[in-house]
Amino acid sequence: MTDDAGRAVDAVVSVSGLGGRFEVVVTGGDHGVVEVLLRRLAGYDAVLSTADGEVPLGRLREFGEPAGRIGELPARFAVSVPGTSAARLERDVAGRVALVDRRYGVDELMATLGDLNRYRRDGPPSVHKPLALVWAIGQLALGRDRLFPWPVFRDEVRSLLADFGQGGATPQYPFWHLGGEGGLWETHGLTKEPRAADSAALAGFTARAAGLLADPGVRAQAVDVLRVAYLGGVDQPALLRRVGLPVPVPPAAADVLGGLVGREIKTVSGYSNWILDVDPASVLVRTRRSAGGESVPVSAVQAGLDRLFAQGRVTADVPSLGYRSAFVAAVLATLPRAMVTRTPPSVSLGYAPTVPDREFGELDRAAVARYRVEQGALRHVLIGDDPTGRCALCGRVLPVELLVAAHVKRRSECSDEERRDLRNVAMLACHLGCDRLYELGYVSVGPDGAVLVAAIPGTPADQLALPAGRTCEAHHDGSAGYFAWHRARVFRG
């Protein structure tokens, strides 16, 4: 193994086990290597099992005492480490690790990927970074190292940018500037964008990000985020085949519809549809306007599935999904990976938090990361990657920088299930006053969806930048209960 300075030491580490319980065996002759291992395991919030009980290593500052309990080499001890594998743990604790931080997990990775800082000049934002990341994820899937030599990256990404990017794309930009995406990418041997002479320069995923992306499920999730957020205008199946990643295969429409018979499904705008029957050619759908049901071609649903899986996102309108677009989008929204955006109405292959949600009142880095994760997920639900959105309360259309994904019901009062009910528990509210006014109870939304303004001395209704009685676009069947909670518990009217 190596020490914290990267020097080789006389010790060999092996890790075995499953299900979060591992046995670590250390052989060799270097004094103090067990203390080094325990310090590295502390970065994983590991719990050491001893004859005297369990020792949470993440709470310790000094590791000499527990290392003394284990003794000199050869040594054998047991640890519990959630969310990893024996091979990954062995690699990280035995080699040099620049940063092992359990607070940077899957959700933080997805939030970073979904919020890339992209170059823009007289046109849409560039796709340099997203395309380079898709290529790099493909390299990991092929078993390549996480760090890429500049000549290899230059040649392969240059060709990719030429075929799938925009005019003037250069690989120097993502190779260097992806290093500004915290926790995701690192560079070595550079102080600025690389030049031809920088043949020894390296760049690529951080050890932590690469460890997460070693999981095929996480890789698929990461690619979903990149293609939905940035690559809508790209031939995505061709891109994925080019970099060696699997092309998502849409399910058969008949199979999807067959599982929905007898169920109520909601359109993006909140209206109910019921699937009464399915045959090989058509599906019988009941709506509020057709109690007896109307026939919709199964081929229309299949076309919608094909388009969603090819593009990652489809708009719920006639040009995209045909004359029964509302129903087709409702079917697409039932897919396990589907995320719904209401303005504009669309369905995407999105992502949702994959770790248990925890309360965050403290202002530490983990809290900020969790806030970014939740805002990123909520934003994908409410607005997707559009540059503007409409405040649900005042109705103004504003740049996304002036909008926040506000909780209809206070987050601190939500259950874990309610916090994950992303489609219903949040709305877009503007930073120009509506978010704060709603949070403090000066405004609310009535059972009919009308905006309510509290008439309170010192804050008369005519001084609030809100038209009382305006219909709140975020009020629908799924969110009505959350608005009712706000009226009963927060509203001052």
Side-chain angles (χ1 to χ4, degrees):
M1 66 172 285
T2 60
D3 64 13
D4 288 342
R7 297 182 293 262
V9 297
D10 180 16
V12 176
V13 180
S14 63
V15 180
S16 60
L18 293 170
R21 295 280 299 178
F22 303 100
E23 182 180 68
V24 181
V25 178
V26 192
T27 58
D30 273 0
H31 178 74
V33 69
V34 172
E35 187 173 344
V36 173
L37 288 174
L38 294 182
R39 182 167 62 251
R40 290 178 177 175
L41 286 165
Y44 282 92
D45 291 336
V47 176
L48 174 68
S49 298
T50 71
D52 299 324
E54 305 289 289
V55 179
L57 296 176
R59 300 178 186 176
L60 302 181
R61 293 190 176 184
E62 301 294 334
F63 299 91
E65 192 275 334
R69 295 195 214 177
I70 294 170
E72 297 299 320
L73 304 185
R76 184 187 303 267
F77 57 92
V79 290
S80 298
V81 186
T84 191
S85 66
R88 189 182 305 171
L89 192 64
E90 180 179 300
R91 181 197 66 201
D92 286 349
V93 299
R96 184 180 181 185
V97 182
L99 175 63
V100 178
D101 188 347
R102 293 297 294 175
R103 293 177 296 184
Y104 190 84
V106 173
D107 279 357
E108 287 75 15
L109 173 64
M110 298 306 159
T112 301
L113 293 174
D115 191 29
L116 297 175
N117 182 24
R118 295 188 293 153
Y119 177 79
R120 179 198 297 262
R121 175 182 288 177
D122 300 329
S126 74
V127 293
H128 300 46
K129 287 183 176 180
L131 286 173
L133 286 169
V134 171
W135 173 84
I137 292 171
Q139 296 298 294
L140 293 185
L142 293 171
R144 310 279 166 74
D145 189 74
R146 66 182 179 88
L147 296 176
F148 312 110
W150 165 235
V152 173
F153 184 99
R154 177 192 60 212
D155 294 345
E156 296 199 17
V157 175
R158 174 187 288 156
S159 174
L160 197 72
L161 295 177
D163 292 342
F164 296 95
Q166 300 154 343
T170 60
Q172 290 91 330
Y173 178 83
F175 190 83
W176 170 252
H177 289 282
L178 274 170
E181 309 292 348
L184 177 66
W185 193 265
E186 62 188 37
T187 60
H188 300 271
L190 292 172
T191 58
K192 58 183 179 180
E193 290 185 10
R195 298 169 296 178
D198 293 317
S199 59
L202 295 170
F205 293 111
T206 63
R208 184 73 190 128
L212 295 171
L213 290 165
D215 184 323
V218 175
R219 284 201 301 272
Q221 196 175 351
V223 173
D224 272 353
V225 172
L226 291 169
R227 69 197 200 99
V228 170
Y230 313 110
L231 302 176
V234 169
D235 183 347
Q236 295 179 9
L239 169 64
L240 297 177
R241 285 191 289 268
R242 173 80 161 268
V243 301
L245 289 170
V247 177
V249 178
D255 293 339
V256 175
L257 292 166
L260 298 174
V261 173
R263 283 181 49 185
E264 177 188 15
I265 61 175
K266 297 281 191 178
T267 67
V268 174
S269 55
Y271 293 109
S272 295
N273 285 188
W274 289 264
I275 296 180
L276 303 180
D277 193 19
V278 181
D279 63 39
S282 63
V283 52
L284 188 62
V285 184
R286 177 163 67 89
T287 69
R288 58 176 181 162
R289 295 178 179 177
S290 58
E294 292 183 0
S295 180
V296 178
V298 170
S299 60
V301 179
Q302 188 65 60
L305 287 165
D306 294 345
R307 187 161 188 166
L308 174 63
F309 276 72
Q311 299 179 350
R313 183 184 182 197
V314 293
T315 305
D317 59 15
V318 173
S320 297
L321 297 177
Y323 80 102
R324 291 306 302 266
S325 58
F327 168 71
V328 174
V331 174
L332 300 182
T334 68
L335 298 174
R337 295 160 58 203
M339 303 290 282
V340 172
T341 302
R342 296 186 181 278
T343 308
S346 62
V347 181
S348 64
L349 294 177
Y351 69 98
T354 56
V355 297
D357 196 356
R358 297 179 294 275
E359 190 57 38
F360 54 90
E362 72 281 6
L363 293 177
D364 62 7
R365 193 175 71 170
V368 173
R370 286 195 294 272
Y371 176 78
R372 288 185 68 233
V373 170
E374 184 161 287
Q375 280 291 308
L378 289 173
R379 176 176 166 178
H380 273 282
V381 172
L382 297 172
I383 198 172
D385 59 343
D386 297 298
T388 62
R390 185 184 301 275
C391 174
L393 295 171
C394 69
R396 287 174 286 194
V397 176
L398 299 165
V400 293
E401 293 85 356
L402 297 178
L403 296 165
V404 64
H407 277 78
V408 176
K409 178 180 178 180
R410 280 183 181 166
R411 188 185 187 284
S412 60
E413 299 291 335
C414 288
S415 66
D416 284 347
E417 183 178 355
E418 289 173 333
R419 290 174 194 164
R420 289 191 289 269
D421 186 16
L422 303 183
R423 300 182 186 180
N424 300 311
V425 78
M427 64 178 173
L428 287 176
C430 69
H431 282 301
L432 305 183
C434 292
D435 176 42
R436 189 65 173 159
L437 292 169
Y438 183 85
E439 181 183 0
L440 296 177
Y442 288 108
V443 300
S444 191
V445 175
D448 59 351
V451 174
L452 306 175
V453 180
I456 298 176
T459 57
D462 59 3
Q463 291 185 15
L464 299 177
L466 280 168
R470 179 188 177 277
T471 298
C472 173
E473 296 173 359
H475 186 278
H476 49 80
D477 291 346
S479 63
Y482 298 125
F483 280 111
W485 180 93
H486 184 270
R487 286 195 307 276
R489 300 285 297 276
V490 181
F491 185 44
R492 304 184 183 206

